[in-house]
Amino acid sequence: MSTTHPTTLPTRRGASPARYVIAGVVLVAGMALLRVFAPGDVELGDIAQDFVTLSLAVIIESIPFVFLGIGLAVVVQVWVPERVILRVLPRNPILRRMVLSLLGVLLPVCECGNVPLSRGLVMRGLTVPEAMTFLVAAPIVNPVTIITTYQAFGFDDGILIARVVGGFAIANLVGWLFSKSPDPDALLTRSFSATCKRAQDHAHDGHSGRWRRSVENFSAETTAMMPALLVGSAVAGLIQVAISRDVLVTLGSNPVISVFVLMLLAFVISVCSNVDAFFVLALGSTFLPGAIVAFLLFGPVIDIKMLALMRTTYSARTLALLNLVVGLGAATIGLAINLA
């Protein structure tokens, strides 16, 4: 979308952002109360309790970062002059994407918060492949993730270096491949593409209009993100109780199978990239280093929660291709480490 430079995301007609937010709050509160009173007042089986607990954990872990990402997206869309964003980026497409893949160093938002932020970048005139480069790299190439990974593994087995360098490489590969698309608008959902085009009418609002647009954008992004987050979290919780983790762990010693097993585990558990290193650290004695690296590269970009969030922006075909590229990249790096 290099030819459009909109700055706002108007709410769709007939949509009520407050309705979605209230419904989400009620649902989360209901699940929390159900979990708290389950041992006594409400009889729940172990599977049902685990489902509620796991779904709530994903929601509670993600919500702060989602709202942080939405807030940063509003700042980018409304308050940062377009010339500032475009002026600091190199003109060369490859160098431009490389710089964008390092933007997470300045904006250390968890992966779920990067979805609304990448939407804001598109609406400020960046191309879709450029925003996707940021989206893939930011959860990995940021100070919080780097510090937590170092605290978990140090420099043992090259896991930290492989994660940072691998994340940077995969992100730029994604950006380069999607930059070859003859129609970048086709990478987006029709609704988001149409919204970007309609938003051009608000590009020259005055200072007072910016506050109004900030509220509108925040409401519209919340409307888009919250239902996807709730659905994705529920599905992640359901799959976690349906698949025995013991079965996955028994496959961890195989240098090939272990890579794909941990990638599957990363997809299912949907844990935040800021803490995923501590989660997989518990499996460090069971799984080989390459499998752990594959987990740390694949999970921050592709998991159930992220797919639900990204579906608000990208077409199903785009997400299928993104899954394939990131999956092959993470698997290749993981297998290379195990077999080296």
Side-chain angles (χ1 to χ4, degrees):
M1 295 198 57
S2 57
T3 58
T4 60
H5 304 285
T7 59
T8 189
L9 179 60
T11 306
R12 290 175 297 176
R13 228 178 249 182
S16 174
R19 179 179 61 191
Y20 290 103
V21 176
I22 293 173
V25 171
V26 170
L27 177 61
V28 174
M31 293 176 68
L33 290 174
L34 190 63
R35 180 66 184 91
V36 170
F37 294 106
D41 300 335
V42 180
E43 291 297 331
L44 285 178
D46 292 339
I47 293 179
Q49 290 191 42
D50 289 343
F51 165 73
V52 173
T53 300
L54 293 169
S55 299
L56 273 176
V58 176
I59 293 172
I60 293 172
E61 181 184 66
S62 302
I63 279 181
F65 294 102
V66 169
F67 282 112
L68 176 59
I70 293 174
L72 289 174
V74 170
V75 172
V76 170
Q77 293 172 40
V78 180
W79 295 97
V80 178
E82 181 179 308
R83 62 182 181 275
V84 172
I85 297 177
L86 300 180
R87 184 173 55 194
V88 299
L89 294 174
R91 293 184 179 272
N92 181 277
I94 296 178
L95 293 178
R96 192 182 183 92
R97 290 191 295 269
M98 291 177 67
V99 171
L100 284 168
S101 62
L102 298 175
L103 190 59
V105 174
L106 301 177
L107 301 170
V109 182
C110 187
E111 67 266 21
C112 41
N114 285 319
V115 176
L117 185 51
S118 68
R119 287 163 62 98
L121 292 175
V122 173
M123 300 185 71
R124 289 302 279 167
L126 296 187
T127 66
V128 178
E130 289 170 351
M132 292 180 73
T133 302
F134 164 78
L135 179 64
V136 174
I140 300 173
V141 188
N142 78 70
V144 177
T145 300
I146 292 172
I147 290 172
T148 56
T149 305
Y150 173 77
Q151 289 177 334
F153 296 101
F155 291 106
D156 294 345
D157 300 312
I159 291 175
L160 172 61
I161 296 175
R163 183 180 202 186
V164 175
V165 175
F168 178 84
I170 292 174
N172 282 275
L173 175 62
V174 167
W176 177 76
L177 289 175
F178 280 103
S179 70
K180 303 302 180 182
S181 172
D183 184 11
D185 284 354
L187 301 174
L188 303 173
T189 61
R190 292 182 179 180
S191 59
F192 182 60
S193 182
T195 299
C196 288
K197 293 176 182 178
R198 290 196 305 267
Q200 295 178 73
D201 297 335
H202 300 265
H204 303 290
D205 287 353
H207 184 80
S208 60
R210 289 184 178 183
W211 287 105
R212 174 182 54 81
R213 286 190 287 124
S214 296
V215 174
E216 290 177 351
N217 288 12
F218 192 91
S219 298
E221 288 293 333
T222 301
T223 301
M225 293 293 109
M226 288 305 296
L229 174 62
L230 296 175
V231 171
S233 300
V235 173
L238 180 62
I239 292 180
Q240 286 188 69
V241 299
I243 299 178
S244 173
R245 192 172 300 173
D246 293 336
V247 175
L248 300 177
V249 173
T250 58
L251 303 173
S253 59
N254 186 290
V256 176
I257 296 178
S258 63
V259 170
F260 296 99
V261 168
L262 273 197
M263 288 173 61
L264 174 62
L265 184 62
F267 178 79
V268 169
I269 62 169
S270 302
V271 67
C272 173
S273 64
N274 291 343
V275 296
D276 59 357
F278 294 114
F279 173 88
V280 77
L281 177 62
L283 304 176
S285 60
T286 305
F287 284 84
L288 296 172
I292 293 175
V293 171
F295 175 96
L296 295 174
L297 289 173
F298 187 71
V301 185
I302 307 296
D303 62 31
I304 297 171
K305 164 178 53 59
M306 276 293 287
L307 286 183
L309 291 173
M310 289 190 293
R311 189 64 182 93
T312 63
T313 305
Y314 301 106
S315 68
R317 182 174 181 273
T318 302
L319 290 182
L321 292 173
L322 180 64
N323 273 290
L324 179 62
V325 175
V326 175
L328 288 176
T332 299
I333 294 173
L335 290 172
I337 293 175
N338 278 350
L339 300 176

